[in-house]
Amino acid sequence: MNKKPTVGDFAHLLDDEAPTEKYEIDLSRGILKADDPEDHRQMMEALQMMQKVQQVPTPAPAQEIPQDDPTALKLAELLEKFFLLRKQLTQATAIAYRNCITELSSFLKNPPITRVTPSDITRYQEFLSEKGNSVRTIDNKISIVRALYNFGKKQGYTRQDNPAENRALLTKKQRLKGGYAIFEKEEIELFFKSEFFKEQKNKDKDYTTAVIRGLFTGCRVGEITSLKKDQFKVSPAGVNYITIRDSKTLAGIREVPLHPFVFNTIKEFINSKTEKIFKYVEKEGKGTGNAVGKKFARNIESSGITRDKLVFHSLRKFVNNELLKDKVSLEHRCQFIGHELDNVNVAIYTETLTIDELAEAVFPTFEKIYNSIKVSLYKTEF
C-alpha cells in the first residue's frame, strides 16, 4: 500500500542540506548579530524582506456613503424659514431670492439642503453661463445661495460646510471696476442743461424732483420714489431732513439732511401731497424706481453723453466722490450715504452723528455742486 509522503520524511534533507540560520535580529532592542559572511548575507536579506512588508500600503477603508437625513429641509423650505425671520427684506430682494432658489432647486431636482455639494454649485454656475447670464449676475445669484446656507447653519438647519462659500467668479476689485460709472461734473452740467430735462420740469415734475433729490442727497432711486409725507422732518436746530425707513441694507436706514436751497424750492411740491410724494407704484421685483430709471436713460442719451454704465445710481456715486474730494470724513460719508462702516474702532466706539452735525459736514459740498453746474435746476412753480 502506497503511503502519502509527509514533511517529516524529508527532515533529514533539511537538516543536512539547508543552511542553518545563526543570525539574530531584535529591532526592539537594536540587536543585529551575524557569525560569518554567509550568516550576514542572510540577515541582510531578511532585513530587506521586512522593509518591503512594512512599505506595503494599508488599503484605505471604504468611505461610507452618507444617508439622507429624513428631517433635512429642502431648499424651498429653508427659504421660507429665512423669510419668516428676515421680515425687513424689500419686495424686490425677496423676489430675487425666491427666483434664484426656485431655479437652483429645479436644476438640482429638489434635493435636501444636506445633499448640495460644491460641485453642484459649479454645475449651476455653468448652467447659468450657458443661459447667457453675465458673470456679475452669476455671482449675485451664488451670493444668494451663500447667504441662505449661512442662515441655515446659524439657525441649526444644517451642519455641513457652505457649498457656495468662496465661489465668486469676480474679485472685489473686478466687481468695483465693472460696476456703474461715476458722473463727471461736465456730464452733470450737460444732463441738467439738456432740452429733455427742461421739458420734463413742466411735463413730469415727479421725474425731475426725484432726479434732483438724487443729486443733492445721494439716495437710492427706490429710497426716493417710495417717500411719504411723514418722512419729512425738521431737527431742533431747524434743519430739514428725510428719514429713510426702508432700504437695501441696515445701514441704509438713516436720516438725510436737505440743504435749504433744495427744500425751499420743492416744498410746494411736497406740501401738495397727502401721503405718497411721488406717483410711482411698486412693480413686482423692480420697486418704485423703474420708471425713473428708464426716463433717466433717455435723458442721458438726449444730453449727448456717450460714456457707458451711467445710470441713476451714478448720481449716488458722484455725491460720495465729491464728499471724498472735499475731505469729508469716512464716518460722515458712510452715515450720510448709508454704507456699512467696516471698521471696528469707528463702528463700535463712535456715536452716531446728529442730523445737525451731519448737515454741517456735507452742506458745503452741495453748495459747490450747485454753483458748479451753473444752470437753473428748478421751476418756481413747484
Side-chain angles (χ1 to χ4, degrees), residues 203-332:
K203 291 171 59 177
D204 191 352
K205 292 174 183 166
D206 287 86
Y207 167 72
T208 53
T209 303
V211 172
I212 291 163
R213 190 71 54 77
L215 177 63
F216 290 101
T217 65
C219 287
R220 299 177 176 91
V221 64
E223 295 170 345
I224 295 170
T225 54
S226 62
L227 282 171
K228 295 181 179 179
K229 198 167 182 177
D230 65 356
Q231 290 177 253
F232 287 80
K233 311 282 186 179
V234 182
S235 76
V239 174
N240 289 283
Y241 67 96
I242 53 177
T243 176
I244 305 297
R245 298 170 181 158
D246 187 16
S247 184
K248 181 180 178 181
T249 64
L250 185 61
I253 299 173
R254 65 199 188 281
E255 295 175 344
V256 183
L258 298 171
H259 194 286
F261 72 72
V262 176
F263 181 78
N264 291 335
T265 312
I266 64 173
K267 65 181 179 180
E268 289 185 26
F269 177 78
I270 296 169
N271 290 337
S272 66
K273 309 297 179 178
T274 55
E275 185 180 4
K276 275 181 96 304
I277 300 299
F278 296 96
K279 64 184 180 181
Y280 306 109
V281 296
E282 186 160 348
K283 290 191 175 183
E284 187 172 319
K286 296 182 179 179
T288 54
N290 189 49
V292 174
K294 288 182 177 179
K295 184 168 281 192
F296 193 88
R298 287 158 50 199
N299 200 152
I300 289 178
E301 185 178 356
S302 71
S303 305
I305 301 170
T306 57
R307 272 203 312 137
D308 293 333
K309 299 181 180 178
L310 287 171
V311 295
F312 192 99
H313 198 80
S314 299
L315 292 176
R316 178 174 167 82
K317 288 195 165 188
F318 172 77
V319 168
N320 190 57
N321 197 47
E322 292 302 303
L323 292 171
L324 176 63
K325 287 179 181 177
D326 281 351
K327 296 181 171 35
V328 175
S329 74
L330 176 64
E331 300 95 310
H332 287 78

Side-chain angles (χ1 to χ4, degrees), residues 257 259 323 326 328 332-333 336 357-367:
H259 194 286
L323 292 171
D326 281 351
V328 175
H332 287 78
R333 295 199 314 272
F336 182 78
E357 291 171 330
L358 198 55
E360 184 179 1
V362 302
F363 279 179
T365 297
F366 289 115
E367 289 169 7

Side-chain angles (χ1 to χ4, degrees), residues 47-176:
L47 280 173
Q48 291 174 0
M49 184 61 69
M50 291 170 64
Q51 289 175 345
K52 288 181 181 179
V53 171
Q54 290 175 349
Q55 290 173 359
V56 174
T58 304
Q63 292 187 350
E64 183 179 350
I65 299 175
Q67 299 297 314
D68 283 336
D69 179 356
T71 65
L73 298 173
K74 299 295 181 70
L75 285 165
E77 293 171 332
L78 180 59
L79 182 64
E80 294 307 317
K81 301 285 188 183
F82 179 82
F83 286 154
L84 182 65
L85 297 179
R86 300 291 175 88
K87 297 182 185 293
Q88 80 278 13
L89 294 176
T90 63
Q91 184 186 34
T93 300
I95 289 173
Y97 268 70
R98 190 176 297 282
N99 289 343
C100 173
I101 298 305
T102 299
E103 181 181 54
L104 175 62
S105 181
S106 174
F107 174 72
L108 297 179
K109 297 182 172 32
N110 198 30
I113 59 174
T114 53
R115 278 284 182 170
V116 179
T117 66
S119 63
D120 290 326
I121 301 302
T122 297
R123 291 192 300 111
Y124 179 54
Q125 289 174 308
E126 294 168 348
F127 165 75
L128 292 174
S129 180
E130 289 169 356
K131 285 183 62 179
N133 289 274
S134 68
V135 175
R136 181 176 290 271
T137 299
I138 295 172
D139 274 0
N140 289 341
K141 291 192 175 187
I142 298 304
S143 71
I144 290 174
V145 180
R146 183 167 57 252
L148 187 64
Y149 265 90
N150 284 339
F151 167 81
K153 287 188 69 174
K154 183 177 180 181
Q155 299 303 125
Y157 295 117
T158 177
R159 293 182 179 179
Q160 73 175 60
D161 293 337
N162 191 329
E165 196 66 47
N166 299 319
R167 306 310 302 276
L169 301 174
L170 293 174
T171 64
K172 185 176 181 180
K173 185 175 181 181
Q174 288 172 326
R175 287 185 68 85
L176 291 173

